Structure formats: C-alpha cells, structure tokens
C-alpha cells in the first residue's frame, strides 16, 4: 500500500505533477489501489489509518486546473468514491474537514468548462461539441463521489451550506443541458446528476430554472397561444433555439428531466432503480416551487380533450404515468400517484379527472381521501381549465362511487356510512 501510495503521488512528500512521463505510473498505481481497497477489508482499514481520503483530496487539488491529466483525476475520484461508499466516517470527513463539497464541485466545473454569467447561471452553448469520453468519465466519477458526500444532506443549517448547494445545483443544471460522446454515456451522466439532485435540499432547487437573459428575451419568439387557444398554454413560449420557456422562466433543465423520466418509463424494466429517483425529484420540485409545478402540469396534464378513452390507454406521458399507478411494485406505483397528485395540487376531484377513480384508489385509501377532499399541503388557486369536451362529459362520469357498509349491513355511499358510525361512537361514549 505504501509503495503504491508513493508511486501514485499520494505520499506525504510534496510531489508535483510536472513530469508527464510519470503519468502512466500514477494512473496504474491508482487502479491497483482501487482494486485492493474494493476487495480487501484489511486494505480498507489501512486506508483509514493512512488517511488516504486527505491524500486523494490533495492530489485532486494539484489536478484541478490542469489539462491532459483526466485519467489521474478519474481514478483518484473513483478511489474517493469507494472509500466514501465503504466508510461512513470518511463521508463526514470529506464533507467538513476536507471541504469535499466545494472541491468536487470545482472538479465538475472544470470537466464541463463552465463559464458563469451570474452567481448561479452558466453559459450554455447548444451548438458546442459534446464532452470527450475522458471528461465524461471524470464527471461521472465526481458525481458519484459527491452523492456519497451529500447523502445525508436533507437540511441546510448555515447560509454557507445553502450557497454551496446552490452552486452545485447550478452545475448540475449545466450537466443536464450538455451531452456526452454517445447516447448511453449521456444517459449515464444525466442519471448520476439526477441521483445527486435528490440529495440537494429542495429549497436550493430553484436554481434549476432561471429568468430569461436579455439576449433570450430579445430573440424572435413563437408563442404557443398563436398555435392553440388553450388558456393554460398562453404563458409558455418556444424560442428559436428550442429553449423551453414558461411564465418568463427558462425551463430547459426541467424539460430534460421530464424527457429522461419518460425514457425510463419506456424502458419497461428496473423501475425502482431507474425511475423512482427522477420521479421523486420532480415531485419534490413541484411541491416546493410553483413555476416548476405549473410547467410540469402543462406538459403532463394538459387540458383534457380525450374523454372517450380510459386514462391508462394511450401513449402520452399522462397515460404512461396512470398505468404505473397500478404497477406491481408498491414503491413505483406510490411515487407515480404522488407525482400526479401534487401536479393536481393534491385535490382529489382534479386527480380523478385525469386518472379515474380505480387508478387513484390506492393513493386515496392510503391518504384517507376516498370520500374526496384534498391533501395537507397548500397550493395557490388557479382558474378553471376544464375544456368544453370535459364539461360535456362530466355529468356522465359518476358511474363509480366509494361505498361502505351501514351498521345494519346494507350498502350506502361511504361518506354517509362514516357519518352513521360517528354518531354511534358518540352515543356509546356518552353512555359510558
């Protein structure tokens, strides 16, 4: 281990990275350390005693602004990921003692060649080249290491923490808007970005959307209300460069997340690992940030015009999500139902309009809302968006009502049955 640490420039000596001829030896030494640490518990314990995490961070700082050493950074980050995966104490050391959050975020900035236009906004070149394979691999390893460092970060305790998480979220927004050398690598990159965004405190996720820049607002735009008369589409704009805009906010990153979610649904397998992280992320974003919720509602639950087919029949995003509401995996169907419920502002009548009673019954039963009502969270009131097709069909829809048993054993609407049991309980309590 000590020999390998010395060859990998991880010894206590102040070794520089000036000799290019030494780079292959450094890379191979880091590879050996990765294999040994992964396979040997004794090596894992020695890593703690030798303070390997601190040595790896020092090597990263030497690499931070250097070009042509992506392989060194990549395997340094992989070893850091393994250590933080295998030892929870190292996660805490990385987060606080070694300042791993800003360090790893800067590694991502370097991999993406980010140029900041504002505190939490970066310049996006939609016509620029894709990331190189080396840059992509380096970014993926940094994302995985950052996930371990931030895995317990549910609350922001200090203003400095909030700033760091906002910077990281802005870097992840940039990550979602660029592509790798291949479609598979792009999906892997975005998948790790989604996982890391799930660790970001929800109050810091507002940086995923941003107001339009002066240049964007000065471009000639084509608004959707010129193409359709739907009231809900009047605030959405598609610019010439295909930027998704809603209510004056740039929604590109949210649109990428939505497309990523739909691709994961279309795969038809590994829903728990591949789909639930992005669904959970979109749900929490929608619950906490009004503009994100309204944009997603516009995309996922547009004004209802098809009132002849069942909600789960079809190829729209709504149809696909409704089908997931009755999936055999409990976790998958719960998060799919929760996402749609939040888009409906946790109003039972609105949810039933888009999903049907049978598909929503599981969620409503778990929430105690089979008889109607709304959830616990507060949402702003919006204008009525019912289409003429839905208004005409609505009187014919009450074919299914929740029913319950009265004390005498006969069936009656659930609300009436519950009221009768309440009266009986009160009477019994008075008698006692």
């Amino acid at each position: 281990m000590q020999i390998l640490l010395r060859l990998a420039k991880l010894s206590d000596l102040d070794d520089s990275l000036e000799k290019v001829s030494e780079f292959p030896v450094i890379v191979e030494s880091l590879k050996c350390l990765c294999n040994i640490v992964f396979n040997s518990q004794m090596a894992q314990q020695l890593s703690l005693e030798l303070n390997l995490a601190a040595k790896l961070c020092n090597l990263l700082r030497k690499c931070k602004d250097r070009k042509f050493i992506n392989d060194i950074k990549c395997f340094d980050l992989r070893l850091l990921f393994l250590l933080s995966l295998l030892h929870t104490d190292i996660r805490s050391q990385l987060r606080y003692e070694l300042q791993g959050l800003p360090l790893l975020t800067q590694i991502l900035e370097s991999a993406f060649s980010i140029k900041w236009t504002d505190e939490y906004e970066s310049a996006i070149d939609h016509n620029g080249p894709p990331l190189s394979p080396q840059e992509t691999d380096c970014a993926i390893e940094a994302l995985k290491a950052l996930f371990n460092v931030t895995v317990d970060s549910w609350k922001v305790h200090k203003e400095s923490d909030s700033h760091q998480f906002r910077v990281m979220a802005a870097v992840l927004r940039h990550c979602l808007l660029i592509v790798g050398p291949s479609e598979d690598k792009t999906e892997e990159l975005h998948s790790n970005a989604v996982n890391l965004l799930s660790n970001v405190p929800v109050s810091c996720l507002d940086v995923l959307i941003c107001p339009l820049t002066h240049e964007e607002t000065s471009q000639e735009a084509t608004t959707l209300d010129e193409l359709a008369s739907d009231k809900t589409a009047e605030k959405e704009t598609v610019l010439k460069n295909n930027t998704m805009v809603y209510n004056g906010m740039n929604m590109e990153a949210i649109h990428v997340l939505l497309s990523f979610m739909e691709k994961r649904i279309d795969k038809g397998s590994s829903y728990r690992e591949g789909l639930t992280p992005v669904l959970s992320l979109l749900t929490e974003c929608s619950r906490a940030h009004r503009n994100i919720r309204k944009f997603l509602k516009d995309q996922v639950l547009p004004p209802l015009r098809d009132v002849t087919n069942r909600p789960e029949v079809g190829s729209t995003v709504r149809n696909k999500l409704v089908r997931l509401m009755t999936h055999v995996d409990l976790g998958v169907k719960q998060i799919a139902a929760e996402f749609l419920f939040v888009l409906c502002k946790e109003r039972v009548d609105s949810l039933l309009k888009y999903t049907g009673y049978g598909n929503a019954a599981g969620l409503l039963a778990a929430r105690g809302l089979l008889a109607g009502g709304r959830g616990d969270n507060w949402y702003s009131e919006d204008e009525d968006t019912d289409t003429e097709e839905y208004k005409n069909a609505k009187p014919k829809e009450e074919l299914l009502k929740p029913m319950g048993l009265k004390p005498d054993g006969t069936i009656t609407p659930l609300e009436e049955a519950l009221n009768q049991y309440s009266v009986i309980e009160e009477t019994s309590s008075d008698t006692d």
Side-chain angles (χ1 to χ4, degrees):
M1 288 277 291
Q2 289 177 330
I3 292 172
L4 288 169
L5 291 178
R6 188 180 73 249
L7 292 173
K9 300 294 184 182
L10 292 172
S11 64
D12 293 328
L13 300 174
D14 188 20
D15 290 332
S16 62
L17 296 175
E18 300 299 331
K19 296 181 180 178
V20 178
S21 61
E22 294 180 340
F23 288 2
V25 177
I26 297 174
V27 171
E28 296 305 318
S29 300
L30 287 169
K31 289 180 182 179
C32 289
L33 285 168
C34 286
N35 288 338
I36 293 171
V37 168
F38 182 72
N39 289 289
S40 168
Q41 289 187 347
M42 184 180 295
Q44 294 165 18
Q45 185 59 38
L46 281 171
S47 299
L48 289 174
E49 295 174 9
L50 295 170
N51 200 14
L52 183 53
K55 300 178 190 298
L56 289 168
C57 287
N58 287 335
L59 182 59
L60 277 178
R61 290 186 175 93
K62 295 177 185 177
C63 298
K64 189 173 61 175
D65 298 318
R66 300 286 302 276
K67 299 294 183 182
F68 311 115
I69 54 176
N70 279 323
D71 283 344
I72 295 178
K73 284 195 287 188
C74 184
F75 288 101
D76 183 309
L77 289 165
R78 183 170 297 178
L79 186 50
L80 206 56
F81 163 72
L82 287 173
L83 289 174
S84 57
L85 177 68
L86 297 167
H87 288 287
T88 55
D89 291 343
I90 289 181
R91 296 177 196 169
S92 179
Q93 182 191 15
L94 276 170
R95 174 75 187 278
Y96 300 106
E97 179 187 334
L98 301 175
Q99 294 297 301
L101 183 56
L103 173 62
L104 293 171
T105 301
Q106 288 166 7
I107 294 294
L108 281 177
E109 288 184 48
S110 175
F112 299 147
S113 302
I114 288 181
K115 296 179 180 177
W116 295 104
T117 58
D118 205 342
E119 187 175 19
Y120 303 121
E121 293 180 35
S122 61
I124 304 292
D125 183 5
H126 292 282
N127 298 317
L131 290 177
S132 69
Q134 294 81 8
E135 289 169 335
T136 306
D137 289 339
C138 187
I140 289 171
E141 296 299 334
L143 290 169
K144 289 158 61 177
L146 267 171
F147 179 86
N148 288 343
V149 172
T150 60
V151 72
D152 299 319
S153 304
W154 293 106
K155 295 181 180 179
V156 177
H157 300 288
K158 298 183 296 186
E159 188 173 339
S160 59
D161 289 337
S162 178
H163 171 70
Q164 287 177 0
F165 277 112
R166 285 177 182 275
V167 171
M168 187 175 76
V171 172
L172 294 176
R173 177 183 182 273
H174 188 100
C175 176
L176 292 172
L177 300 180
I178 58 179
V179 295
S182 65
E183 187 175 343
D184 288 343
K185 276 296 181 183
T186 299
E187 183 173 354
E188 185 181 359
L189 182 69
H190 289 176
S191 178
N192 282 282
V194 168
N195 291 339
L196 182 52
L197 279 169
S198 300
N199 290 349
V200 176
V202 70
S203 60
C204 300
L205 291 176
D206 56 342
V207 300
L208 290 178
I209 61 176
C210 56
L212 295 184
T213 64
H214 176 74
E215 291 78 10
E216 288 173 326
T217 53
S218 65
Q219 295 181 51
E220 182 180 352
T222 303
T223 56
L224 289 186
D225 61 342
E226 295 174 357
L227 306 175
S229 59
D230 293 339
K231 293 181 179 179
T232 56
E234 290 178 356
K235 294 181 180 179
E236 185 178 21
T237 308
V238 181
L239 297 178
K240 274 188 173 181
N241 61 358
N242 294 323
T243 299
M244 297 299 295
V245 180
Y246 188 89
N247 203 17
M249 305 295 288
N250 187 322
M251 293 288 179
E252 281 183 289
I254 303 301
H255 189 257
V256 169
L257 290 173
L258 185 62
S259 300
F260 179 85
M261 179 200 74
E262 188 172 7
K263 287 179 182 177
R264 287 296 170 94
I265 294 176
D266 293 341
K267 277 192 172 182
S269 61
S270 303
Y271 281 158
R272 180 173 286 273
E273 299 81 12
L275 178 61
T276 54
V278 67
L279 261 179
S280 298
L281 174 63
L282 290 174
T283 301
E284 293 307 313
C285 283
S286 300
R287 184 177 278 124
H289 302 288
R290 181 173 179 264
N291 276 323
I292 294 178
R293 175 181 57 78
K294 289 173 69 67
F295 171 75
L296 288 172
K297 169 77 180 298
D298 187 76
Q299 297 293 306
V300 177
L301 302 175
L304 195 59
R305 297 193 178 281
D306 181 6
V307 294
T308 57
N309 292 315
R310 295 170 63 88
E312 65 271 23
V313 176
S315 59
T316 67
V317 182
R318 174 178 75 100
N319 302 142
K320 296 172 183 178
L321 286 167
V322 171
R323 286 197 289 272
L324 289 179
M325 295 174 75
T326 54
H327 195 270
V328 293
D329 188 306
L330 181 62
V332 172
K333 73 177 183 180
Q334 283 179 337
I335 190 59
E338 184 76 12
F339 176 52
L340 292 174
F341 194 41
V342 169
L343 292 188
C344 294
K345 297 189 293 187
E346 300 190 20
R347 288 176 46 186
V348 173
D349 57 343
S350 180
L351 180 69
L352 296 183
K353 178 173 80 172
Y354 288 105
T355 69
Y357 189 86
N359 294 313
L363 172 77
L364 300 181
R367 292 290 198 95
L369 294 172
L370 283 170
R374 65 189 308 167
D376 298 328
N377 294 290
W378 182 87
Y379 299 87
S380 62
E381 295 295 334
D382 293 330
E383 60 184 9
D384 178 29
T385 58
D386 287 349
T387 61
E388 289 301 320
E389 292 89 340
Y390 179 75
K391 289 178 180 178
N392 293 333
K394 189 174 181 180
K396 308 172 187 178
E397 280 190 339
E398 292 191 14
L399 303 177
L400 190 64
K401 286 185 177 181
M403 306 296 285
L405 287 175
K406 293 195 297 184
D408 61 4
T410 58
I411 296 177
T412 188
L414 181 60
E415 187 174 4
E416 183 181 336
L418 292 174
N419 289 336
Q420 291 196 17
Y421 278 108
S422 298
V423 171
I424 291 174
E425 287 180 4
E426 291 175 3
T427 305
S428 175
S429 176
D430 293 341
T431 303
D432 292 343

